[in-house]
Amino acid sequence: MSYPYQLKTFEEYKEAYQKSVDDPEGFWGDIAQHFYWRQPWNKVLNWNFTEPKAEWFAGGKLNITENCIDRHLETMGEQPAIIWEPNNPEDRVRVVTYNRLHKRVCQFAQVLKNNGVKKGDRVCIYMGMVPELAYAVLGCARIGAIHSVVFGGFSAQSIANRLEDAQAQYIVTADGAYRGDKVIPLKDVVDDALIGNKTVKKIIVYTRTRLPVSMLKGRDVWWEDEMEYAETQVEKEGVVSCPAEVMDAEDPLFILYTSGSTGKPKGVVHTCGGYMVYTAYTFVNVFQYQPGQIYFCTADIGWITGHSYILYGPLSVGATSLMFEGVPTWPDAGRFWDIVDKFKVNILYTAPTAIRSLMGFGLQPFDGKDLSSLKVLGTVGEPINEEAWHWYDEHVGKKRCPIVDTWWQTETAGIMISNLAGVTPSKPTFATLPLPGVQPVLVDENGNEVEGNNVSGNLCIKAPWPGILRTTYGDHERCRLNYFSTYPNLYFTGDGALRDETGFYRITGRVDDVLNVSGHRIGTAEVENAINMHAGVVESAVVGYPHTIKGQGIYAYVIFSGGSHDLELSKKDITATVSRIIGPIAKPDKIQFVKGLPKTRSGKIMRRILRKIAEGDLQNVGDITTLLDPAVVEDIKNGRL
Ligand code: 6R9
């Protein structure tokens, strides 16, 4: 495969950028030509940010799996699409060629059909990082079912909320998942999530760990049995391969839940055509992928990074994507380097939190590992600090690999601001310049655009790009309110940024009540709601504080009425409650019991003060005269109860 839209020089980038601003429809229309459409579009773009509406490639018909799989078969059928490294390095590696991927995806798509799944139905997927997860995701896309992958670190309650919101009728899961030395009982968690659920009809269970699981007659079926049956159908009924459902460009492809500043996670909806074009375009340009290269993204498919840059983006351009089941520190902290060496990885895409955690192990884990295959490094998920950037550059890239710092979000589907590896300039800790098609603006608190360089403000985007979210599932008004109402006619990202003297962007972090803990987005309100469910809790307030490995840690101030109970034990109970309600990823790092919270006369908690105290910056809590009871601040600072 060749990529005629791959930009090769800074000049080409500037030209493409200019064209994308002057003539977005011409620009994206040209790129979209390089994909396989069953029927061409009538109009590249219809949009307004008031409803909001963004319609890309209207009238176009396609199936994303034909682009990700079928169209590669003739020339690249025997090339690896997915290379799978198991959790345990002693276990067998699996290499899934494009031919094999085609066979398995079609087979599983047939399984879905056999179980009653139809176009437009929502299928929740809760699995570990196994190739079958890829088959499940792509199998849904094949028949036009809307997948909603839930990360394995979320609790039963979180799954239940998502199932309810999406009105999902089907679940694909596994008995369990391996992650380092842990075994996660996925099916048990799903069973808990289904207590009281009225919509789910079928659960397909893949066998990974052979943990004993309950299997209910009429509801639960084994993956292996279903796949075998689908295979015999092929023989008996001559079903050669499950034909791809012809989808409208704007038919939903998936829902992915993400945290915002309000309590309940939102189901971000992406559609088939624009999502495909945007993930492919950004993948090829940011990483400068060359055919035949081995690309390794360490994310989990439960997050947007895994959707766009393990599966859809790489596969749509015929790349080889390495999928890793385990964790970076097991059996030891050299695991990533073993994998790079073992498969001669060319491109490595990971998160600052992983880099910082590996930094803590020193240089010994690199001993004897050949990293000379690496050509490009990438980071995503949170701002990268200077120290981590340089460590990555020196010890992983040996100062000869460009690092792409890619800023984007679940809502944007793909990379928005990033240097292009080796093509556009880089600057440590700066995401640098927008991708063609992306028009960032900084606005001040009054919503006025901040022009010129050497400025900072809230980061907004002025016009749609093909990967922009289309809605939040089941509640379009919520989408409008969250993203398009803060500043009229702008998409508001929730991030703050600065633009340096050369026009490069540096993302400074969230300006709303969203925390970024180890690259995972968690809403403070969500954590507060979970803490407040503990029987002894009267009220709570959650803020983030700087954490050397996680980026941000979770600090909870709690008014507790548990009386004379053992307070340390009560903190553990609160932590267990949060883990049960949201999942282990949202557990507070610190809990402080307090007498009162700093509130204004109108009852609003002044988080600014709590943030300062959590940071340990007790001198600079600022003006507290507007508080209803300024004395609470001293009590909190002194840890008085
Ligand atoms: C892809 C992804 C989105 C939030 C985003 C921002 C932060 C992501 C970043 C970054 C600084 C980067 N973020 N990449 N901050 N530099 N390169 O992570 O999506 O899980 O939705 O998180 O992550 O705060 O708003 P998502």
Side-chain angles (χ1 to χ4, degrees):
M1 245 201 142
S2 67
Y3 313 122
Y5 46 85
Q6 189 170 53
L7 305 166
K8 290 286 167 205
T9 62
F10 195 21
E11 288 314 309
E12 277 178 30
Y13 160 80
K14 287 186 218 163
E15 224 171 90
Y17 190 82
Q18 197 53 48
K19 170 154 188 189
S20 78
V21 173
D22 296 342
D23 176 19
E25 295 199 48
F27 178 79
W28 289 110
D30 285 350
I31 291 160
Q33 307 278 356
H34 299 285
F35 295 81
Y36 175 62
W37 298 81
R38 291 288 193 100
Q39 184 183 299
W41 53 92
N42 315 315
K43 179 92 173 80
V44 174
L45 173 63
N46 291 310
W47 73 286
N48 69 67
F49 275 176
T50 44
E51 289 174 62
K53 171 168 114 172
E55 226 177 55
W56 285 91
F57 311 111
K61 294 201 184 292
L62 78 158
N63 186 291
I64 196 167
T65 70
E66 289 190 322
N67 283 275
C68 287
I69 309 173
D70 303 55
R71 69 169 175 153
H72 308 315
L73 296 181
E74 203 179 313
T75 54
M76 298 194 302
E78 285 307 299
Q79 301 261 343
I82 295 173
I83 297 177
W84 179 73
E85 165 76 3
N87 181 58
N88 185 336
E90 322 251 286
D91 288 349
R92 190 173 56 91
V93 167
R94 291 165 65 186
V95 177
V96 184
T97 61
Y98 275 97
N99 281 332
R100 176 53 59 112
L101 183 65
H102 182 252
K103 181 169 174 188
R104 291 289 177 246
V105 168
C106 292
Q107 204 176 339
F108 189 70
Q110 187 63 39
V111 165
L112 290 169
K113 278 198 200 170
N114 291 346
N115 281 281
V117 184
K118 291 188 199 55
K119 177 178 175 179
D121 287 348
R122 276 80 55 218
V123 179
C124 170
I125 304 177
Y126 187 67
M127 297 175 87
M129 286 284 286
V130 287
E132 284 70 17
L133 165 57
Y135 308 158
V137 166
L138 297 167
C140 287
R142 187 89 177 163
I143 63 166
I146 303 169
H147 56 76
S148 180
V149 183
V150 178
F151 174 63
F154 280 114
S155 67
Q157 185 63 49
S158 293
I159 302 172
N161 297 344
R162 286 158 171 75
L163 290 171
E164 166 75 26
D165 188 81
Q167 291 287 295
Q169 293 176 314
Y170 305 92
I171 301 179
V172 185
T173 187
D175 50 356
Y178 293 120
R179 272 179 70 78
D181 58 3
K182 293 199 190 70
V183 185
I184 297 153
L186 297 175
K187 175 62 164 61
D188 270 6
V189 179
V190 167
D191 287 337
D192 286 346
L194 288 178
I195 296 168
N197 175 288
K198 292 193 182 60
T199 54
V200 172
K201 295 197 282 210
K202 273 281 165 73
I203 308 180
I204 301 171
V205 186
Y206 171 68
T207 312
R208 172 64 186 131
T209 55
R210 303 190 125 268
L211 278 180
V213 293
S214 89
M215 293 292 283
L216 290 194
K217 190 179 290 162
R219 189 194 71 180
D220 300 352
V221 295
W222 290 109
W223 171 291
E224 294 76 11
D225 294 347
E226 297 297 304
M227 286 293 262
E228 207 177 299
Y229 178 72
E231 192 139 44
T232 62
Q233 266 178 310
V234 173
E235 286 154 26
K236 283 195 209 134
E237 301 162 30
V239 186
V240 180
S241 65
C242 177
E245 185 79 29
V246 179
M247 307 291 284
D248 281 332
E250 282 298 339
D251 277 338
L253 174 63
F254 66 85
I255 306 171
L256 188 58
Y257 284 85
T258 190
S259 293
S261 37
T262 51
K264 206 174 116 208
K266 302 177 282 263
V268 169
V269 175
H270 287 294
T271 58
C272 298
Y275 178 82
M276 171 183 75
V277 171
Y278 197 67
T279 53
Y281 180 78
T282 49
F283 175 73
V284 160
N285 279 296
V286 171
F287 300 104
Q288 289 291 305
Y289 184 82
Q290 304 302 321
Q293 285 187 329
I294 311 286
Y295 161 85
F296 176 24
C297 168
T298 70
D300 190 289
I301 291 174
W303 306 109
I304 191 67
T305 305
H307 281 60
S308 301
Y309 298 111
I310 294 178
L311 295 180
Y312 289 113
L315 297 178
S316 66
V317 299
T320 297
S321 183
L322 199 153
M323 183 174 173
F324 173 41
E325 185 182 33
V327 297
T329 49
W330 192 84
D332 59 53
R335 190 66 194 276
F336 278 178
W337 324 130
D338 286 327
I339 296 175
V340 169
D341 191 351
K342 180 168 171 185
F343 299 99
K344 304 294 165 224
V345 169
N346 304 114
I347 303 171
L348 175 68
Y349 191 28
T350 194
T353 185
I355 299 170
R356 287 191 302 262
S357 107
L358 294 176
M359 279 166 72
F361 292 88
L363 300 179
Q364 186 275 328
F366 290 103
D367 284 355
K369 319 283 163 77
D370 177 9
L371 306 188
S372 63
S373 56
L374 286 173
K375 291 202 150 57
V376 172
L377 305 176
T379 81
V380 60
E382 48 176 320
I384 184 164
N385 48 310
E386 192 102 25
E387 202 192 347
W389 196 98
H390 287 291
W391 188 87
Y392 199 29
D393 183 37
E394 251 170 67
H395 301 294
V396 183
K398 317 287 182 204
K399 292 206 161 188
R400 37 164 209 86
C401 301
I403 298 178
V404 289
D405 179 354
T406 65
W407 172 82
W408 58 294
Q409 312 177 293
T410 304
E411 293 86 346
T412 71
I415 297 166
M416 299 287 281
I417 304 184
S418 172
N419 50 317
L420 312 182
V423 170
T424 65
S426 77
K427 177 172 176 181
T429 77
F430 279 70
T432 71
L433 297 171
L435 270 280
V438 176
Q439 299 182 48
V441 290
L442 298 178
V443 294
D444 63 21
E445 56 276 25
N446 305 319
N448 298 318
E449 187 171 337
V450 192
E451 304 204 14
N453 287 341
N454 257 327
V455 290
S456 61
N458 288 349
L459 179 62
C460 294
I461 315 286
K462 220 192 244 182
W465 61 99
I468 189 173
L469 85 160
R470 301 306 196 263
T471 191
T472 46
Y473 192 78
D475 193 350
H476 194 61
E477 177 59 8
R478 193 163 176 218
C479 172
R480 189 186 70 78
L481 280 174
N482 257 292
Y483 304 105
F484 299 92
S485 72
T486 318
Y487 306 110
N489 290 314
L490 294 175
Y491 164 81
F492 177 41
T493 65
D495 281 310
L498 59 86
R499 191 163 52 219
D500 75 0
E501 60 288 350
T502 44
F504 287 3
Y505 288 88
R506 176 190 188 157
I507 315 302
T508 46
R510 303 288 305 197
V511 293
D512 53 6
D513 290 323
V514 173
L515 307 179
N516 193 327
V517 180
S518 299
H520 304 326
R521 263 167 80 168
I522 300 169
T524 52
E526 241 177 293
V527 183
E528 287 165 7
N529 290 344
I531 291 174
N532 296 349
M533 288 178 85
H534 182 282
V537 171
V538 179
E539 200 181 358
S540 64
V542 165
V543 296
Y545 71 98
H547 186 287
T548 44
I549 290 173
K550 299 178 174 187
Q552 267 188 316
I554 301 179
Y555 198 116
Y557 297 89
V558 176
I559 304 177
F560 192 68
S561 69
S564 57
H565 289 126
D566 178 337
L567 291 183
E568 286 313 307
L569 199 54
S570 298
K571 286 183 187 173
K572 289 188 182 145
D573 291 340
I574 291 173
T575 306
T577 309
V578 174
S579 190
R580 168 75 56 179
I581 302 295
I582 306 176
I585 57 170
K587 286 198 276 197
D589 298 276
K590 289 188 190 165
I591 296 176
Q592 181 181 346
F593 287 143
V594 295
K595 263 200 293 200
L597 293 166
K599 287 190 180 173
T600 61
R601 278 168 229 283
S602 58
K604 222 174 155 271
I605 296 172
M606 290 196 62
R607 285 165 201 284
R608 165 177 68 74
I609 296 171
L610 295 175
R611 261 184 234 120
K612 283 288 175 201
I613 299 173
E615 281 167 22
D617 188 2
L618 302 185
Q619 309 314 319
N620 293 308
V621 293
D623 181 16
I624 58 169
T625 53
T626 57
L627 290 180
L628 189 61
D629 177 13
V632 295
V633 177
E634 278 309 308
D635 288 343
I636 296 176
K637 279 192 197 169
N638 298 329
R640 260 198 300 274
L641 253 184

